[in-house]
Amino acid sequence: MGALGALLIFFALVLVGTLIGLEKQENARKKIEDKKKLDEEKVFRLKMTKMNFDKLIIVNKNQWIAFKDNKIIGPLIECSLDNSAYIIGDGRIIILSPTPHGINIIPSLGDEKDKEIIGYLDKINVPMVQCSFVIHETDDLRDYVTFNTDVECAYKTDKKEKFFSISGSKNPNLKWKLTNVEFTPHYVTDYEVTTKSEETGRVGGHAGAATIGGLIGGTTGAVIGSSLGREINSTTVSHSSNSAQEREVPSTALITIESSDGDKVKIAEQYYEDDIIILKKYFLVENETREESNQNNSNFVAELQKLKKMMDEGSLTEEEFKQGKKKLLEG
């Protein structure tokens, strides 16, 4: 081995040694950082346990929830649980409260921890929402509701109750009932073009024809132009047919709500027909006794279920079902 070869080996060994040394330094640095984080986590947990919370659910210093004196506290939430309720939606726990808190989202701590939070809410008698609908900010409600965001939530914790609450309410004791719904569903028709291709005869093509054919004749033109100079025993003939499909679009519903103090407010919201069915089933009271209202709601649902069963069995077409449902909605 010559001097040059020996020198190269020397430099290679030096380089390897340097890299090994750097790796050891990096590993040592990571160990120090990990130990520091672990020590900080231990200090944080010790500090939290000394706070005498009624309940502490903790993942790490950035993910934790605590309960104290009927309040819920966390890195991203702090609100009173007085006159509050909780709702589970999209994998999240949401606290609905009077003003100043309104709608409060509890950051997820993972499935098991979230179940523990729900269990504790049940234990301290924070009720779970049974039915709800969203109310967007409106001038007519600003005297009664503080909209911290552009929406609040109307909700019941008992489906049989006549009155409901609204999150962000300035008066936590004020309740509301839904007395009237004015709604007409709207549908639009989508047209779909179906193309069927048949091949006959002979076609010759050349390079670049696929791009040109695609610009002129769409997919069919691109297929014709893709022969790249090869003769093939086919041409493409297209046959098109149209089909129409009806779909519902959101429509404006004018709903009237009345407070337990006798004040009436009208609200305009965008709904689908199925949303109106839920509103009428669980919220609409109208000018009748509670027993009559419940009976009418039961009859409404029973008739709707009867129509649905007839459609499923083939006795009614989908269009006849829609017409029947519309008559039920119009009362």
Side-chain angles (χ1 to χ4, degrees):
M1 181 182 297
L4 180 59
L7 186 61
L8 289 174
I9 292 175
F10 172 76
F11 280 119
L13 291 174
V14 170
L15 179 60
V16 170
T18 301
L19 292 174
I20 293 174
L22 291 173
E23 185 179 3
K24 287 181 178 179
Q25 289 179 8
E26 180 64 18
N27 290 338
R29 186 186 64 81
K30 286 183 178 180
K31 286 181 179 180
I32 293 173
E33 287 185 355
D34 291 343
K35 186 178 184 305
K36 182 180 178 181
K37 289 179 181 179
L38 186 61
D39 291 341
E40 289 177 351
E41 196 68 39
K42 287 180 179 179
V43 170
F44 174 77
R45 288 177 178 270
L46 182 61
K47 176 183 176 181
M48 295 296 285
T49 54
K50 290 181 178 180
M51 296 288 287
N52 294 320
F53 290 118
D54 299 327
K55 176 71 173 179
L56 175 63
I57 303 171
I58 185 169
V59 177
N60 53 51
K61 66 179 182 179
N62 297 315
Q63 294 178 291
W64 58 274
I65 288 293
F67 295 87
K68 180 69 174 180
D69 298 331
N70 215 36
K71 289 183 179 180
I72 185 167
I73 307 165
L76 300 176
I77 185 174
E78 182 173 351
C79 71
S80 171
L81 294 174
D82 293 332
N83 298 302
S84 296
Y86 75 89
I87 185 171
I88 303 172
D90 296 329
R92 299 176 298 176
I93 306 169
I94 302 170
I95 303 295
L96 304 177
S97 306
T99 191
H101 303 294
I103 299 175
N104 307 269
I105 299 175
I106 302 176
S108 177
L109 304 184
D111 290 344
E112 294 303 317
K113 298 294 185 183
D114 290 349
K115 289 178 183 177
E116 194 174 349
I117 294 171
I118 293 170
Y120 192 76
L121 289 170
D122 292 337
K123 181 180 178 180
I124 61 177
N125 298 317
V126 177
M128 181 178 178
V129 173
Q130 298 299 314
C131 51
S132 64
F133 64 93
V134 169
I135 296 177
H136 288 80
E137 186 172 6
T138 175
D139 291 338
D140 293 335
L141 266 180
R142 287 198 187 101
D143 291 338
Y144 309 95
V145 179
T146 302
F147 288 88
N148 291 327
T149 60
D150 64 341
V151 298
E152 293 292 352
C153 187
Y155 63 94
K156 287 184 180 183
T157 56
D158 184 346
K159 293 179 181 178
K160 296 180 180 179
E161 284 295 320
K162 179 185 297 185
F163 288 92
F164 60 84
S165 301
I166 300 179
S167 62
S169 177
K170 295 179 180 180
N171 179 358
N173 297 316
L174 192 65
K175 303 293 183 180
W176 299 83
K177 62 181 178 181
L178 178 62
T179 58
N180 189 49
V181 178
E182 299 175 33
F183 177 80
T184 301
H186 288 89
Y187 293 84
V188 296
T189 302
D190 294 329
Y191 293 95
E192 182 179 354
V193 178
T194 303
T195 301
K196 181 180 179 182
S197 299
E198 298 177 357
E199 295 184 351
T200 58
R202 296 170 62 88
V203 161
H206 55 83
T211 302
I212 297 171
L215 291 173
I216 296 174
T219 303
T220 300
V223 170
I224 293 174
S226 64
S227 58
L228 298 179
R230 293 179 295 113
E231 289 193 346
I232 53 176
N233 295 320
S234 67
T235 58
T236 303
V237 181
S238 299
H239 303 280
S240 298
S241 61
N242 294 331
S243 61
Q245 184 175 359
E246 196 176 52
R247 63 181 174 88
E248 185 182 4
V249 295
S251 304
T252 300
L254 186 63
I255 64 178
T256 304
I257 61 175
E258 182 178 333
S259 75
S260 50
D261 289 343
D263 298 328
K264 289 186 178 181
V265 176
K266 287 192 175 183
I267 304 170
E269 294 285 349
Q270 293 290 307
Y271 287 124
Y272 288 98
E273 194 171 5
D274 287 344
D275 300 324
I276 299 300
I277 291 175
I278 297 299
L279 281 178
K280 287 192 172 185
K281 179 179 179 181
Y282 294 116
F283 288 93
L284 186 61
V285 175
E286 298 181 322
N287 296 320
E288 54 191 12
T289 65
R290 180 175 173 179
E291 289 76 19
E292 289 173 342
S293 177
N294 288 339
Q295 183 62 43
N296 284 349
N297 285 339
S298 297
N299 291 340
F300 173 82
V301 174
E303 288 298 320
L304 186 62
Q305 290 175 340
K306 182 179 177 181
L307 288 175
K308 181 67 166 58
K309 182 178 179 182
M310 292 175 66
M311 184 182 70
D312 293 339
E313 291 175 347
S315 302
L316 289 179
T317 65
E318 184 176 356
E319 183 61 31
E320 289 171 335
F321 170 76
K322 289 179 180 179
Q323 291 175 357
K325 185 167 67 170
K326 182 178 180 181
K327 288 181 180 179
L328 287 177
L329 286 170
E330 293 173 348

